[in-house]
Amino acid sequence: MARRTGWQCRFVRALAVFVAHCAFAPANGQLPTTLDNFFQPGTQPDEFGDTLTPFIPASQNCQLCHEVYNPGGRDPIFGTWAGSMKANAVRDPLFQAALTIANQDAAFAGDLCIRCHSPVGWLEGRSLPTDGSALLPKDHEGVSCNFCHRMVDPVLDPGYPQPPQGDDIIRVALLDAGLLPIRAGGANYVVDPADSRRGPYPFLENGGPPNVPVNYHFPDTPPIIYSPFHSTSEFCATCHDVNNPAFTRQPDGSYALNPIGAEHPTGDSYDMFPIERTYSEWLNSEYATVGVDAKGVFGGNHPTGIMRTCQDCHMPDMQSYGSAFDNKPLYERPDVPSHEFSGGNTWIQDVLLNLYPFAVDPEYMYDSQDRALYMLQNAATLVLYKEDCDLRVRIINETGHKLPTGYPEGRRMWIEVAFLDPAFHPVAIRGHYDWMSADLTESDSKVYEAVLGVDEVMSQISGIPTGPSFHFALNNKFYKDNRIPPRGFTNAAFAAVGAAPVATNYADGQFWDDTAFRVPSGATSAVVTLYYQTASKEYITFLRDANKTDDKGDVLYEQWELTGKSPPVTMREQMVLELSAGLFGDADCNGEVDLFDHALLYDCLSGPANRLRLGCEAIDADLDGSTDLRDFAEFQLTYLAP
């Protein structure tokens, strides 16, 4: 479909404001969108028949043969998957609370969420109603075994040998129906209607050549097919480049709401509003081009240690058995992919154990937490150095995507600096987190996050104030994105895929970030900690208070309180000694308090109710964490003194 011209885009934008806000906006404030607004190409539910037919078997069927002991002592397939967020994508109460808000904000928006979090339920027609109430128990297995192993490459790549079992026929049928995705991503999955299961091995375990079907399952199931697609990062793009198709990118870079009841005009995910861009961040990184030597930190039993694909880090190779039959392990291999899919979530496992004591296995959950902690502790390098009267903190991104990445709402990473006196007592703490209240002091440190919200036009349509918001189904603007880019970053490439930095600057090739902290008077050492948090207090509170439909926000909030309030995780921590403070009021650290300092510090006056801002530390005379009239008066005396 041809792209709209500039005047057409402006016309549609104006029309959307009139239609949605003036003509159809209901009293409850819900945007009157339809399923068509959230339509995306790929395999559709009608290909899988009615809801009574079990076309996609439950993952428990796979447990019998794929939960096996291995030489390393860890089950590499069923057990690691069962403890992952993939397996618990529907049970996750944060997802459920966010689903409610999405449906409140925009009618049928929940279909977009269920499509990724419960593809089995979506494919078999149970995403309606879009609150998830029609989902069956097997749908609560989230991203399940059979679903993933029936996926077909949506884009024909001549560089890969293609399976012989009709993948081209499946793609051509979708193409003829106008449903073939333009690119992988956005949950535009293509799934084999027949139960033809695919795997990543080019040579089958019985020694056969590639593309020779073999059946290790039941007699009434089609043979297993070798699928190169399952070893590519494009496979992971399916649910890790997430878009809102209700919005279309405009020539000026803004995003306009499509007409109510209309499908996206191009169907190209890069023309839709970018909610997550983890895959595209990788695609435009050095990992995707030449690969990066992980020096044994990631990749498990990888033969070269050069990380290139998502699977290299998130499904590391293990020396193990892939399956067992009659309780006898079969075919030990050095490259069995561990189905752990580890990310950075170390909190929700405790919540799941509380809410689903009979559905989740504690051993799997604790193992999942340990793996996520390992990922976080190795995702960044912390470098400290002294420069004049500043302590400089450098955070180096060691991952293949932004740090942090993924679903942006409530997710953050920050620097805490505890300055200590000669007796190692705190003099001042920057980026202080109160573990009792879960409040973070953000103003005097660096918080890495993406902040989304609505622009002026969307504010008129939705009634939500212009600016940052957690209403992700309605958000159409990035107000901040200072997350650290990966190796190989360029501004042009990231802008092209909707992942450009916002309200900050990174030079081409920069995969680190520096922050200067002024050493306060009396400090001789400091402890610097890099923290990560899955969900902020502000986000959890929003999901509770904005919920006008059910109790899912209350359930989440209660569990948040019971499980440490999404406790921050220490990613890196380091101590530096022999610090020395500069003169009070000497903002530029040149050894004098002069007119230049006055110009630099004049805008730092905040008052006792406001927190100290990063860059204003030189005027905080009493080290109380604010810059008030008392501090400014002291500065004036110092500045005017001969």
Side-chain angles (χ1 to χ4, degrees):
M1 186 176 294
R3 296 174 182 266
R4 292 191 179 107
T5 62
W7 73 265
Q8 287 174 320
C9 292
R10 289 191 294 273
F11 174 76
V12 168
R13 191 173 177 82
L15 180 64
V17 173
F18 174 77
V19 171
H21 183 62
C22 301
F24 297 109
N28 65 2
Q30 184 190 53
L31 200 66
T33 43
T34 72
L35 274 177
D36 287 334
N37 284 111
F38 301 102
F39 175 84
Q40 296 189 88
T43 300
Q44 300 300 311
D46 55 8
E47 294 186 43
F48 281 75
D50 61 55
T51 59
L52 300 179
T53 308
F55 281 99
I56 302 179
S59 295
Q60 298 301 320
N61 294 358
C62 308
Q63 183 175 8
L64 178 64
C65 293
H66 293 286
E67 184 177 35
V68 297
Y69 172 79
N70 74 89
R74 188 173 78 195
D75 166 28
I77 298 180
F78 183 84
T80 50
W81 167 83
S84 72
M85 293 309 300
K86 291 267 188 293
N88 295 284
V90 177
R91 297 188 186 104
D92 180 359
L94 191 148
F95 159 72
Q96 294 186 15
L99 178 66
T100 295
I101 303 302
N103 283 311
Q104 282 183 183
D105 287 340
F108 299 100
D111 186 75
L112 181 69
C113 311
I114 293 173
R115 185 169 183 151
C116 254
H117 282 255
S118 182
V120 175
W122 190 87
L123 283 167
E124 294 186 1
R126 292 185 290 277
S127 66
L128 292 176
T130 60
D131 61 0
S133 58
L135 296 177
L136 299 177
K138 74 167 184 175
D139 302 332
H140 287 253
E141 293 179 340
V143 185
S144 66
C145 309
N146 188 274
F147 163 74
C148 280
H149 286 278
R150 280 169 66 175
M151 281 177 54
V152 173
D153 189 346
V155 181
L156 178 62
D157 187 341
Y160 290 109
Q162 297 302 314
Q165 298 297 304
D167 284 9
D168 281 341
I169 296 174
I170 296 170
R171 282 189 288 260
V172 169
L174 289 173
L175 180 64
D176 291 343
L179 294 171
L180 190 66
I182 294 174
R183 68 182 87 249
N188 298 334
Y189 36 72
V190 175
V191 180
D192 194 333
D195 191 6
S196 299
R197 304 177 194 181
R198 292 154 169 78
Y201 297 122
F203 287 88
L204 300 173
E205 292 165 335
N206 64 355
N211 293 334
V212 175
V214 65
N215 193 345
Y216 290 127
H217 291 99
F218 302 103
D220 58 345
T221 60
I224 297 172
I225 300 172
Y226 163 54
S227 169
F229 178 53
H230 282 67
S231 298
T232 68
S233 293
E234 285 70 27
F235 181 86
C236 307
T238 304
C239 284
H240 292 282
D241 252 17
V242 183
N243 322 288
N244 189 340
F247 294 92
T248 297
R249 190 175 188 174
Q250 305 299 297
D252 63 358
S254 64
Y255 291 85
L257 181 69
N258 298 325
I260 298 299
E263 296 178 12
H264 193 275
T266 70
D268 187 337
S269 58
Y270 287 158
D271 290 338
M272 303 173 186
F273 183 69
I275 298 173
E276 302 176 39
R277 281 288 183 264
T278 301
Y279 164 78
S280 290
E281 293 160 14
W282 165 87
L283 183 63
N284 292 282
S285 77
E286 195 171 301
Y287 282 79
T289 54
V290 298
V292 174
D293 186 354
K295 297 180 172 57
V297 174
F298 300 119
N301 199 33
H302 194 281
T304 69
I306 304 299
M307 302 292 102
R308 289 188 171 89
T309 68
C310 307
Q311 291 91 331
D312 286 342
C313 290
H314 297 279
M315 297 183 69
D317 291 342
M318 296 179 65
Q319 179 81 23
S320 180
Y321 303 103
S323 61
F325 188 71
D326 288 338
N327 296 321
K328 296 177 181 179
L330 302 175
Y331 309 113
E332 183 180 355
R333 308 178 58 102
D335 58 348
V336 175
S338 178
H339 287 50
E340 57 193 56
F341 308 109
S342 297
N345 199 332
T346 63
W347 163 54
I348 211 68
Q349 295 90 340
D350 290 330
V351 176
L352 293 171
L353 285 168
N354 287 344
L355 294 177
Y356 303 97
F358 302 109
V360 299
D361 187 302
E363 180 181 357
Y364 296 156
M365 292 292 105
Y366 297 142
D367 285 348
S368 174
Q369 284 180 313
D370 290 342
R371 293 192 298 269
L373 179 61
Y374 178 87
M375 297 293 282
L376 288 171
Q377 291 175 337
N378 290 279
T381 297
L382 180 62
V383 179
L384 309 180
Y385 56 98
K386 295 170 284 187
E387 184 177 273
D388 298 324
C389 53
D390 288 336
L391 169 62
R392 291 193 171 266
V393 178
R394 170 167 290 189
I395 308 297
I396 301 173
N397 181 2
E398 303 292 0
T399 75
H401 41 65
K402 288 183 180 181
L403 185 67
T405 190
Y407 184 71
E409 306 213 333
R411 185 172 299 189
R412 60 190 182 183
M413 180 178 77
W414 74 89
I415 303 168
E416 179 191 87
V417 182
F419 288 103
L420 311 175
D421 64 17
F424 299 106
H425 297 141
V427 172
I429 299 178
R430 311 301 185 205
H432 176 257
Y433 182 81
D434 188 320
W435 292 79
M436 293 296 293
S437 67
D439 291 319
L440 171 64
T441 302
E442 301 185 34
S443 61
D444 58 3
S445 185
K446 181 76 67 67
V447 180
Y448 298 96
E449 61 186 346
V451 177
L452 284 62
V454 299
D455 65 11
E456 295 85 352
V457 175
M458 198 59 205
S459 175
Q460 296 176 40
I461 295 172
S462 65
I464 296 172
T466 302
S469 89
F470 288 128
H471 295 270
F472 98 91
L474 303 177
N475 288 341
N476 69 331
K477 181 176 180 178
F478 275 74
Y479 281 89
K480 174 187 177 184
D481 187 355
N482 69 336
R483 297 173 296 175
I484 306 173
R487 286 171 169 82
F489 161 81
T490 66
N491 283 278
F494 272 59
V497 299
V502 178
T504 192
N505 293 301
Y506 287 103
D508 286 353
Q510 185 177 345
F511 56 94
W512 64 88
D513 185 59
D514 294 336
T515 308
F517 293 90
R518 175 66 176 261
V519 179
S521 177
T524 56
S525 64
V527 175
V528 179
T529 307
L530 180 65
Y531 282 114
Y532 172 86
Q533 189 173 43
T534 299
S536 67
K537 175 183 181 179
E538 291 77 9
Y539 184 46
I540 299 296
T541 303
F542 164 82
L543 292 175
R544 179 195 64 182
D545 295 347
N547 191 313
K548 311 300 181 186
T549 305
D550 53 39
D551 66 347
K552 292 178 180 177
D554 292 324
V555 169
L556 174 65
Y557 191 88
E558 179 183 41
Q559 288 300 317
W560 176 75
E561 289 192 310
L562 290 172
T563 54
K565 301 180 178 178
S566 184
V569 173
T570 298
M571 297 176 65
R572 289 285 180 176
E573 189 168 80
Q574 190 172 328
M575 188 173 191
V576 61
L577 302 172
E578 299 179 355
L579 295 178
S580 57
L583 295 173
F584 167 70
D586 182 15
D588 54 12
C589 293
N590 68 350
E592 297 179 356
V593 181
D594 52 26
L595 187 61
F596 296 103
D597 300 309
H598 191 279
L600 289 170
L601 297 174
Y602 186 79
D603 290 333
C604 287
L605 187 64
S606 63
N610 296 312
R611 301 298 302 174
L612 177 69
R613 299 201 313 272
L614 189 64
C616 294
E617 302 98 314
I619 199 176
D620 185 16
D622 50 14
L623 299 178
D624 65 349
S626 67
T627 48
D628 50 29
L629 288 174
R630 182 178 301 173
D631 298 310
F632 198 71
E634 186 72 21
F635 172 68
Q636 290 288 84
L637 291 174
T638 304
Y639 169 66
L640 296 173

